[in-house]
Amino acid sequence: SQMMYVEAFLDMKSTSWLTAHVHAFRYFGGVTETLVPDNLKTGVIKAQREESILNEAYRELADHYRTVIVPSRVRKPKDKPSAEGSVGYASRQIIAALRNAQCFHLTELNQTIFEKLEEINTADFQKRPGSRKKVLKEEKKSTLQQLPQTRFKMTEWKTAKVQLNYHIQVERMYYSVPYEYARESVDIRLTTDLIEVYFKEARIASHKRLKG
């Protein structure tokens, strides 16, 4: 259908990357069976010929939405030609069109982008009947998986080394872990109200409920 979703963010961090996916799925009204992203660091830790190593938070999103992530091969734009074409089209029709617009807040900018996006998705094709939105609704919607009933819980993964006083520093705050992990590296899973600390070898979790 070539249906597009476009949204502006202030950075390219993992939270922005995941939020864009969540909003796009909601805009399309469903989830594709496969996602084919670029090999950007917020999504793919290491691109490999056999099987790429995904960012843990991105893998959790895929599990939640029951989809499979298959990153495109490095320097192989033909792996996703339709997406590459849409990016160029969006750049010309949205980004270039708004080059002289003044927006003083990200919400204001995205509202302007959304108006342009709706124009593109509802405009009739030049060489075939229908529009992007109409084709998605009438021909492709049945191929999308339904959105989960529960909302995706945004996560972020970090690594840290346990200090001699068996504490780790996360977001300028200190948290204690079992003393036997002193000097060891641990994985940290962050959500809005919980910190989970995993020892890399044993994968034993220590939980800290955040206050506030």
Side-chain angles (χ1 to χ4, degrees), residues 194-209:
L194 186 70
I195 286 182
E196 298 174 336
V197 182
Y198 294 90
F199 181 48
K200 289 189 175 182
E201 292 184 5
R203 302 295 292 179
I204 298 175
S206 176
H207 303 271
K208 290 284 184 179
R209 180 70 60 177

Side-chain angles (χ1 to χ4, degrees), residues 140-172:
K140 302 297 182 180
K141 192 66 179 290
S142 61
T143 66
L144 297 178
Q145 302 178 98
Q146 291 186 348
L147 295 171
Q149 294 184 351
T150 57
R151 187 175 181 179
F152 175 67
K153 198 168 187 177
M154 202 65 63
T155 63
E156 184 177 359
W157 285 80
K158 297 177 178 289
T159 58
K161 189 170 184 178
V162 182
Q163 301 176 15
L164 290 175
N165 60 1
Y166 52 89
H167 280 69
I168 56 173
Q169 184 178 8
V170 182
E171 304 290 337
R172 299 183 179 180

